[in-house]
Amino acid sequence: MEEKKEKNGFEPRLVGILCRWCSYQGADLAGTSRLKYEPNMTVLRVPCSARMSPLFLMKGLTSDIDGILFSGCHPGDCHYISGNMNARRRFVIFKKLLEFAGMEPERIQMSWCSASEDKKWADIVDSVTIEVKKTGPNNKFK
Amino acid sequence: MKELIDKAKELLKEKKVETVIGYREIRGCVVPAYVDSPCDADCLIFDKRCVYNLANYLKWFKNKNVALVLKGCDAKSINVWLQEFQIKRENIFIIGVECYGVMNEKSADAGLSDKCGHCEAHVPNIYDAVIKHQGDKKESVQGEPFKDIQEFEKLPHDERWDFWKKQFEKCIKCYACREICPMCYCKECIVERNIPQWIMSSPSVKGNFEWNMVRAFHLAGRCVECGECERACPVNIPLMKLNKKLIKEMKELFDYSAGQKEDVKSAIDDFYPEKDIKIDDKMIR
Ligand code: SF4
Ligand code: SF4
Ligand code: FES
């Protein structure tokens, strides 16, 4: 770990907020199928993407987290029928607001990922990590 | 004016309402007035100094029979209250007033308020009686209503951040913006919850950013652009800039503007799967 840090310089701290029916399972599958992907993300499990409150995103950013990925079931696949539809609207509006206030858009991201998409999950985490690395550390509240 | 006073007297005499909430003048200042007997109704006035949004008083008169004197922008907040099942339509009597702009309290030259520039609701969209406007009717300035927002969006993000950081630094966490907003009616506000404490109560960079973001977000799709929060803010933070941004996004993304009808769902707890899918390409992986 130490060695890696020195090589790349900045290692972002990421948080993933995942729906327990899909993305969380997808991430689990990625683990069991031994896919290699960036280890920067700490995962939080929520019962449905609709549990995501914008407060989560905001609290993460003000606690110096470098990036937050929020992921739920594909539209139409939500276990509770329409939770992800509401979550999408909320997320999009809040992201626009944070951007307007000067937050870099790369720090707050959302994805759809199902329980069988382990490859997609690994790709998402990789690309989010790269984007946040490029953006640099979040020291707006330091 | 006579029309307004007569209407108030009639309502109170016939006992249709318990109180009429309107405006009156005391020593040259316009203040809100509670009128509960017909003989007091003579004090009621309406002119361009009547800037307050009286819908805010519904917080205290929720289950009573009241009549409210409301301008076009204020009446929209009644629609939001109805959408969110906070009041019963039959409990309130809306005396709508036709309005062609109120003055700007904060600027010395006393021109029209900024919010009136692009007003589309000179006549309220919900009322039981309407008081006609006397004198000349000046139409609103036409043009792009979100020009300042679009210009601000074009700035690089660190400039935007610096701007808001400077603005939010001033916030003293007095919560006047919340108290005056007719849409902020929760008995227990998220800032007052301390287990868990989502919003730091100290007026620090973090705490102020959290508060101002959450305040603005909780009004997404609900803010009726009455401008009261900005007027009440003792340290002149341009809160309408945040509100207008959200109004713009609501319009562009979801084709929704707040307070137009009483029987639709608010955009933030509604969705249209076919239309919303368009968002995915740009914002969702
Ligand atoms: S946020 Fe401000 S402009 Fe919007 S409804 Fe509340 S007080 Fe009025
Ligand atoms: S009114 Fe102004 S100073 Fe008071 S809490 Fe709101 S933004 Fe802060
Ligand atoms: S159950 Fe996965 S988004 Fe609702």
Side-chain angles (χ1 to χ4, degrees):
Chain A
M1 195 69 190
E2 279 304 306
E3 206 184 320
K4 198 175 172 212
K5 236 178 203 162
E6 263 163 43
K7 253 191 237 159
N8 301 338
F10 162 60
E11 278 300 324
R13 275 211 298 163
L14 303 179
V15 168
I17 302 173
L18 316 186
C19 159
R20 60 122 43 242
W21 296 103
C22 47
S23 307
Y24 191 83
Q25 306 278 344
D28 207 17
L29 184 63
T32 27
S33 26
R34 299 185 170 272
L35 292 182
K36 252 210 162 75
Y37 60 96
E38 298 286 341
N40 301 48
M41 190 171 285
T42 311
V43 166
L44 297 180
R45 187 175 70 172
V46 287
C48 169
S49 62
R51 176 65 186 92
M52 187 276 305
S53 156
L55 291 169
F56 294 0
L57 305 180
M58 192 203 58
K59 204 68 193 174
L61 292 172
T62 54
S63 319
D64 306 330
I65 298 292
D66 301 307
I68 301 175
L69 172 67
F70 162 59
S71 185
C73 311
H74 285 275
D77 287 354
C78 174
H79 192 73
Y80 308 97
I81 298 165
S82 60
N84 52 2
M85 302 284 179
N86 286 321
R88 168 160 64 191
R89 284 201 163 193
R90 246 179 288 153
F91 172 85
V92 165
I93 285 292
F94 197 63
K95 179 168 174 169
K96 292 265 182 194
L97 179 66
L98 285 175
E99 269 181 60
F100 190 68
M103 197 56 77
E104 297 91 339
E106 292 82 11
R107 295 205 194 285
I108 328 125
Q109 311 221 20
M110 182 171 177
S111 70
W112 303 129
C113 178
S114 81
S116 57
E117 290 175 320
D118 53 342
K119 297 233 169 47
K120 180 173 178 186
W121 174 252
D123 288 347
I124 291 172
V125 177
D126 281 347
S127 57
V128 169
T129 313
I130 292 167
E131 277 183 26
V132 176
K133 258 185 200 163
K134 265 191 217 143
T135 315
N138 173 17
N139 43 22
K140 287 196 156 60
F141 298 97
K142 285 238 169 83
Chain B
M1 220 61 59
K2 183 144 182 319
E3 235 181 302
L4 174 63
I5 294 169
D6 287 347
K7 192 76 215 168
K9 279 187 179 165
E10 180 196 317
L11 289 170
L12 289 166
K13 249 185 220 146
E14 289 171 13
K15 297 235 171 349
K16 273 194 190 146
V17 298
E18 289 165 41
T19 316
V20 176
I21 303 175
Y23 305 92
R24 72 197 261 187
E25 190 180 330
I26 295 182
R27 285 182 234 109
C29 298
V30 170
V31 294
Y34 295 163
V35 177
D36 37 24
S37 82
C39 49
D40 293 342
D42 290 310
C43 70
L44 290 176
I45 59 159
F46 185 82
D47 57 31
K48 71 183 176 84
R49 290 172 301 169
C50 299
V51 285
Y52 315 113
N53 184 349
L54 297 179
N56 196 25
Y57 286 97
L58 281 177
K59 287 177 193 166
W60 294 275
F61 288 87
K62 244 182 185 178
N63 300 316
K64 304 221 174 78
N65 279 333
V66 285
L68 293 159
V69 178
L70 296 176
K71 306 184 287 291
C73 44
D74 310 343
K76 284 195 263 176
S77 27
I78 302 290
N79 277 328
V80 181
W81 277 68
L82 288 168
Q83 275 174 10
E84 295 169 0
F85 307 106
Q86 294 298 314
I87 43 172
K88 291 207 185 78
R89 181 68 183 90
E90 59 269 23
N91 281 355
I92 47 164
F93 190 96
I94 302 168
I95 308 177
V97 282
E98 205 180 344
C99 160
Y100 286 88
V102 290
M103 69 175 200
N104 187 347
E105 270 203 340
K106 281 194 171 165
S107 86
D109 58 24
L112 283 193
S113 169
D114 292 343
K115 67 169 175 177
C116 302
H118 297 282
C119 175
E120 288 157 3
H122 296 301
V123 183
N125 56 17
I126 178 169
Y127 60 78
D128 296 301
V130 74
I131 310 294
K132 287 262 157 351
H133 179 80
Q134 268 123 27
D136 55 333
K137 299 182 179 181
K138 245 194 243 138
E139 279 303 320
S140 322
V141 218
Q142 295 304 319
E144 180 49 61
F146 298 113
K147 201 156 174 257
D148 48 336
I149 306 290
Q150 282 161 348
E151 267 159 29
F152 190 76
E153 279 168 2
K154 278 186 207 130
L155 297 176
H157 68 83
D158 37 348
E159 259 173 62
R160 268 180 281 153
W161 173 258
D162 290 342
F163 173 84
W164 286 113
K165 197 176 168 196
K166 263 198 208 106
Q167 294 294 342
F168 292 158
E169 239 164 38
K170 300 190 288 187
C171 178
I172 51 173
K173 287 272 180 84
C174 62
Y175 305 137
C177 46
R178 177 192 72 190
E179 292 302 316
I180 202 138
C181 177
M183 257 67 262
C184 276
Y185 53 64
C186 295
K187 284 236 169 67
E188 196 187 351
C189 179
I190 186 85
V191 285
E192 267 129 28
R193 297 275 291 268
N194 48 12
I195 311 171
Q197 185 159 43
W198 284 111
I199 297 171
M200 279 174 43
S201 51
S202 61
S204 57
V205 181
K206 271 187 202 181
N208 288 355
F209 180 79
E210 288 170 352
W211 162 242
N212 282 287
M213 284 297 111
V214 169
R215 188 205 65 81
F217 177 75
H218 282 181
L219 288 148
R222 305 171 66 233
C223 171
V224 294
E225 235 182 322
C226 66
E228 288 287 272
C229 45
E230 188 171 299
R231 188 180 65 82
C233 180
V235 292
N236 295 332
I237 298 176
L239 296 171
M240 281 312 282
K241 214 172 180 147
L242 291 175
N243 293 339
K244 268 171 94 179
K245 164 74 180 169
L246 290 177
I247 291 170
K248 174 172 170 270
E249 291 302 336
M250 278 288 164
K251 229 188 205 137
E252 282 174 3
L253 291 168
F254 310 132
D255 193 20
Y256 179 86
S257 24
Q260 302 301 333
K261 283 193 205 104
E262 57 182 282
D263 50 3
V264 293
K265 264 187 168 181
S266 164
I268 212 88
D269 63 326
D270 200 5
F271 55 86
Y272 292 96
E274 298 84 33
K275 269 196 240 164
D276 287 4
I277 222 113
K278 273 183 260 157
I279 306 168
D280 283 17
D281 310 338
K282 269 180 262 157
M283 310 213 18
I284 299 173
R285 287 163 181 280

